[in-house]
């Protein structure tokens, strides 16, 4: 499973993509999930020029890094969110990766309540059709008030299309759903195609997501569940620190390196 590891470039929120690629590569990662969130971490965006996209590809090549997915969080209950997601699928083509990642609401403060799933299904229809056409998989993250657990997303995915799978965030299920990621992951693993591997510390509703191994989640148990389910998709490491954020780039790089070393020992 070590070969399935990737770094989520959102870990380097507030820093450049080049800094993210370099730091993650030096830590040992060979895959990266590119964050394409306009209102948060815009490391890559659909409106970037061919020259900008070419430069990003050159950085990836220089540091021997492959793109594992495009993290394009969009509020799919709004027209502009669907438009953004549709354009972001082109980035998955551009960077030759199979996955486009979103939640159903805003990337942060996702508090909207979806009262009619038929509206959600109708909104996602063109996105699913484009994924079908371009052979991409839409993975919806455990995130926000509506779909905080793997089981809730498994039910949603079953009602949509087999192009729709789960992006299981191991800490979001705690933060948003007050649910530990063990039994829930076990019961939804057959629908999981992408993992955000994130640690959690403190009360369930406290924003505290440290380096992997520094928090309170039992990753030996998580990987046991994934192995039993024969999970073969990306495992994208995400560190979101506390609301204060990291003090500098060195702190981020140290957390990324510590996470990789911890996982290397765990998975050897």
């Amino acid at each position: 499973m070590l070969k399935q590891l990737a770094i989520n470039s959102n870990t380097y929120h507030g820093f450049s993509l080049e800094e993210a690629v370099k730091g993650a590569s030096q830590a040992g990662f060979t895959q990266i999930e590119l964050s394409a969130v306009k209102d948060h971490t815009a490391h890559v965006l659909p409106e970037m020029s061919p020259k900008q996209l070419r430069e990003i590809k050159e950085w990836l090549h220089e540091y021997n890094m492959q793109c594992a997915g495009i993290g394009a969080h969009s509020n799919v209950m709004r027209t502009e969110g669907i438009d953004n997601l549709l354009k972001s699928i082109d980035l998955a083509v551009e960077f030759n990766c199979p996955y486009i990642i979103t939640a159903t609401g805003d990337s942060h403060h996702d508090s909207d309540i979806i009262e009619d799933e038929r509206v959600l299904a109708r909104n996602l229809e063109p996105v699913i059709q484009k994924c079908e056409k371009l052979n991409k998989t839409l993975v919806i993250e455990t995130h926000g008030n509506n779909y905080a657990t793997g089981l809730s997303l498994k039910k949603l995915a079953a009602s949509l299309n087999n192009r729709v799978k789960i992006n299981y965030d191991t800490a979001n299920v705690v933060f948003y759903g007050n649910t530990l990621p063990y039994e829930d992951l076990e019961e939804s693993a057959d629908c999981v195609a992408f993992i955000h591997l994130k640690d959690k510390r403190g009360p369930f509703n406290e924003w505290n997501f440290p380096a992997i191994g520094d928090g309170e989640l039992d990753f030996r148990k998580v990987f046991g569940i994934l192995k039993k389910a024969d999970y073969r998709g990306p495992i994208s490491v995400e560190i979101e620190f506390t609301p204060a954020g990291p003090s500098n780039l060195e702190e981020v790089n140290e957390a990324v390196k510590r996470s990789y070393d911890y996982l290397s020992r765990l998975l050897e």
Side-chain angles (χ1 to χ4, degrees):
M1 280 191 157
L2 198 60
K3 292 180 180 179
Q4 293 165 251
L5 291 182
I7 188 72
N8 186 334
S9 80
N10 184 53
T11 297
Y12 285 82
H13 172 68
F15 300 95
S16 72
L17 178 58
E18 188 172 14
E19 288 169 325
V21 172
K22 181 179 179 181
S25 175
Q26 290 176 342
F29 287 93
T30 59
Q31 296 187 82
I32 189 166
E33 175 189 344
L34 294 175
S35 181
V37 186
K38 189 178 296 186
D39 62 349
H40 189 63
T41 307
H43 282 154
V44 61
L45 290 173
E47 54 264 35
M48 282 182 170
S49 69
K51 181 176 181 293
Q52 289 174 304
L53 295 173
R54 191 162 57 247
E55 285 176 351
I56 293 171
K57 289 179 184 178
E58 288 170 359
W59 295 335
L60 296 180
H61 179 74
E62 180 181 352
Y63 291 102
N64 192 32
M65 192 80 75
Q66 297 289 321
C67 179
I70 300 295
H73 274 265
S74 305
N75 190 328
V76 299
M77 298 305 287
R78 299 176 186 165
T79 301
E80 59 268 27
I82 291 295
D83 289 343
N84 181 68
L85 200 53
L86 285 167
K87 292 173 185 174
S88 296
I89 297 171
D90 295 330
L91 288 173
V93 174
E94 185 77 32
F95 288 95
N96 192 30
C97 61
Y99 302 100
I100 184 85
I101 302 109
T102 189
T104 57
D106 295 326
S107 58
H108 281 74
H109 311 297
D110 181 3
S111 58
D112 292 351
I113 301 296
I114 297 173
E115 296 179 348
D116 190 344
E117 279 192 354
R118 292 173 298 179
V119 176
L120 173 62
R122 189 164 62 245
N123 289 355
L124 284 174
E125 194 171 324
V127 176
I128 294 169
Q129 287 176 352
K130 188 167 183 177
C131 285
E132 288 270 18
K133 180 181 178 182
L134 298 174
N135 194 28
K136 304 301 176 186
T137 299
L138 177 68
V139 288
I140 302 179
E141 184 174 356
T142 49
H143 189 281
N145 289 336
N146 296 287
Y147 303 104
T149 64
L151 270 177
S152 63
L153 275 179
K154 182 176 178 178
K155 292 174 185 175
L156 176 66
S159 72
L160 295 173
N161 183 286
N162 60 11
R163 281 280 166 192
V164 181
K165 302 294 183 183
I166 298 169
N167 171 32
Y168 198 98
D169 189 305
T170 54
N172 278 1
V173 296
V174 182
F175 182 77
Y176 291 108
N178 194 16
T179 299
L180 290 172
Y182 310 125
E183 184 178 336
D184 180 58
L185 176 59
E186 197 165 26
E187 293 179 356
S188 57
D190 59 334
C191 193
V192 173
F194 206 95
I195 297 281
H196 276 174
L197 200 73
K198 194 157 72 184
D199 211 340
K200 177 76 178 73
R201 193 156 49 192
F204 80 93
N205 58 352
E206 178 183 338
W207 187 280
N208 192 338
F209 307 111
I212 306 298
D214 286 0
E216 298 162 2
L217 296 186
D218 185 346
F219 286 104
R220 190 174 298 280
K221 195 169 184 177
V222 168
F223 281 105
I225 294 166
L226 293 177
K227 286 177 182 177
K228 185 178 178 182
D230 195 26
Y231 175 76
R232 301 190 182 190
I235 301 169
S236 183
V237 170
E238 185 175 27
I239 307 164
E240 291 191 291
F241 302 95
T242 64
S247 55
N248 51 41
L249 178 61
E250 184 180 7
E251 184 180 346
V252 183
N253 283 334
E254 286 176 354
V256 169
K257 176 62 174 169
R258 196 159 65 252
S259 298
Y260 187 85
D261 290 347
Y262 169 84
L263 290 167
S264 296
R265 293 191 298 272
L266 187 64
L267 295 171
E268 66 183 7

